[in-house]
Amino acid sequence: MVSGSNDSQTPPLVSLAAGGVAGGVEAFTSYPMEFAKTRVQLRQQKGIPTPRNPFRVVTHVYQTEGLRALYKGCAALVVGSIAKDGVRFLFFDQIKHAFADKETGTLSPGRNLLAGMTAGVVASITAVTPTERIKTALIDDARNEKRFRSGFHATRVIWQEHGILGLYRGFAGTTLKQASATAFRMGTYNILKDYEKTRDIKQNTLVNFANGSVAGIVTTLTTQPFDVIKTRSQSARGASTAEAVKSVLIDYGIRGFWKGTTMRLGRTVFSGGILFTSYEAAVKIIEPLYSGAKHKVVSEVA
């Protein structure tokens, strides 16, 4: 569990399952804001300005393209989030345990961030880059050529045209984003939780949600440039990381690297609260089931 210093270590399978559940819930509930943020970060179509207000983007797409359009690419993100957050929570919990002080069981802020960074790199390699590539390509394609019929079809077309490297387009930007985002998101949440425990602040749903939201704000402000580069790299046609950086500078200058910040904040404040609250709740449900099943197996073997 992304837990305080005095908690026992959560079993790996519980971390993986609870993280997956939390990731799926968070991705689905906050997807319209993710959609709006991605639309803004992609290159504008000639003569069609993109509004900065996320609610205007969502309203405009709903009115002109329907509700289904707002969830274009959602399946890819949900599947990716289940895998990504399962892996992130699994590795963060294990790495955090390895990094903990042997006497007190606590982590310094630096070690919290390092544990999150390592977990983010693993998640990018195993799940995030391919699913983000498909999600972004679907959103971009929907406003232009409309070649892709579904996430599966987009995967097949990209694979046929570019091979497996096509699915890992934007890997550098995605990994930089994941490493930094996971470091700040999970690190901040764990730092806040440890701080509260030293002051006997009771952990409940409201506190978990507030901690997750604060972690989301910190994460967004510190990692937005990586997110913009990743989105440009993973458009329908694709681009290298260097080309993505160049296109952002040409289009908007240095300020372009924070394009979509408001929309991403709208999502991460909400989704950060949802993610960690869902994870803590899932652990409370799954861990007793896991312990019971494990005890039963041991008893039968004995």
Side-chain angles (χ1 to χ4, degrees), residues 150-204:
S150 64
F152 179 77
H153 181 246
T155 304
R156 191 173 65 183
V157 170
I158 292 171
W159 181 285
Q160 289 174 343
E161 293 180 354
H162 305 288
I164 191 170
L165 292 180
L167 295 175
Y168 276 84
R169 180 84 73 175
F171 174 73
T174 303
T175 302
L176 285 170
K177 180 204 167 187
Q178 284 302 311
S180 54
T182 307
F184 284 107
R185 198 177 208 188
M186 291 189 159
T188 300
Y189 182 83
N190 213 52
I191 290 167
L192 289 171
K193 196 166 181 182
D194 280 346
Y195 175 83
E196 290 159 357
K197 289 204 169 187
T198 61
R199 283 154 180 76
D200 296 321
I201 298 174
K202 186 178 180 181
Q203 297 296 300
N204 55 42

Side-chain angles (χ1 to χ4, degrees), residues 75-246:
L77 185 68
V78 169
V79 170
S81 294
I82 290 172
K84 170 190 72 177
D85 286 305
V87 169
R88 284 204 301 191
F89 277 102
L90 168 64
F91 277 88
F92 182 78
D93 283 348
Q94 301 309 305
I95 295 165
K96 184 187 73 173
H97 181 70
F99 286 174
D101 184 279
K102 301 301 180 185
E103 294 182 3
T104 64
T106 60
L107 278 81
S108 66
R111 287 192 173 191
N112 265 312
L113 295 176
L114 182 60
M117 186 181 299
T118 307
V121 172
V122 175
S124 178
I125 295 169
T126 57
V128 181
T129 301
T131 53
E132 283 283 328
R133 166 71 163 124
I134 298 304
K135 179 214 73 176
T136 305
L138 283 167
I139 292 174
D140 189 29
D141 179 73
R143 65 178 193 150
N144 293 307
E145 300 175 69
K146 295 182 172 60
R147 290 197 305 156
F148 304 143
R149 297 191 296 270
S150 64
F152 179 77
H153 181 246
T155 304
R156 191 173 65 183
V157 170
I158 292 171
W159 181 285
Q160 289 174 343
E161 293 180 354
H162 305 288
I164 191 170
L165 292 180
L167 295 175
Y168 276 84
R169 180 84 73 175
F171 174 73
T174 303
T175 302
L176 285 170
K177 180 204 167 187
Q178 284 302 311
S180 54
T182 307
F184 284 107
R185 198 177 208 188
M186 291 189 159
T188 300
Y189 182 83
N190 213 52
I191 290 167
L192 289 171
K193 196 166 181 182
D194 280 346
Y195 175 83
E196 290 159 357
K197 289 204 169 187
T198 61
R199 283 154 180 76
D200 296 321
I201 298 174
K202 186 178 180 181
Q203 297 296 300
N204 55 42
T205 300
L206 183 61
V207 172
N208 291 336
F209 193 96
N211 289 346
S213 296
V214 171
I217 293 171
V218 172
T219 301
T220 299
L221 296 178
T222 53
T223 65
Q224 187 64 17
F226 299 136
D227 191 59
V228 173
I229 293 167
K230 173 196 72 68
T231 298
R232 285 291 181 95
S233 298
Q234 295 178 330
S235 61
R237 294 186 178 182
S240 68
T241 300
E243 289 169 342
V245 171
K246 183 179 178 180

